[in-house]
Amino acid sequence: MRRALSLLALMGVLAVVLGAAVPVRASELVMFERKGCAYCLQFDQDVAPIYQKTEEGRRAPLRRVDLSGGVPADVALARPVRFTPTFVLVDEGREVGRITGYASDEAFWGLLGALTQQSALKRP
């Protein structure tokens, strides 16, 4: 254990000295979608063009995943995703909340706001 911690510390020092970035698993909003999903297309029209420009988009960038390809190995879900779109708020690789479906941009922003407050994603 002590040796592993020393190795991690050494890697951090080397990254700083060499100017390399040490990868950090940030928060993200994972959108599970399927080809031909009408609600996904509506989200694309209503929200996707502006999402990255918002405070929520800066705190939890949008990552799109085709559900037919399965769940990415670096995402730990609390339960399976069955419907599209499903938006899973992930922090450090683990699900902290989700929004199933898409009805409107107003509903999406309201649900996402509640979700981010609930999960306490207050990163700068």
Side-chain angles (χ1 to χ4, degrees):
M1 179 71 157
R2 179 181 250 163
R3 185 173 185 199
L5 290 174
S6 297
L7 182 58
L8 285 174
L10 177 60
M11 287 172 58
V13 169
L14 284 175
V16 171
V17 170
L18 297 174
V22 177
V24 176
R25 295 178 74 184
S27 300
E28 62 184 348
L29 183 65
V30 180
M31 176 184 176
F32 289 91
E33 59 187 337
R34 281 195 179 105
K35 186 176 181 178
C37 167
Y39 299 104
C40 300
L41 293 172
Q42 191 63 50
F43 173 85
D44 286 345
Q45 290 179 0
D46 298 345
V47 178
I50 63 166
Y51 182 79
Q52 73 277 2
K53 299 174 187 174
T54 66
E55 183 65 27
E56 293 87 349
R58 287 187 287 279
R59 289 186 181 166
L62 185 64
R63 175 179 174 190
R64 301 176 81 113
V65 173
D66 185 335
L67 187 57
S68 61
V71 177
D74 63 339
V75 174
L77 296 175
R79 61 187 186 281
V81 172
R82 301 199 190 283
F83 305 101
T84 59
T86 295
F87 303 90
V88 179
L89 187 60
V90 174
D91 191 34
E92 296 183 0
R94 293 189 176 177
E95 178 178 343
V96 294
R98 72 172 60 189
I99 301 167
T100 302
Y102 178 79
S104 69
D105 58 338
E106 294 91 3
F108 173 80
W109 291 116
L111 291 168
L112 184 61
L115 197 58
T116 55
Q117 283 183 350
Q118 172 188 343
S119 66
L121 291 177
K122 307 269 190 219
R123 295 182 181 212

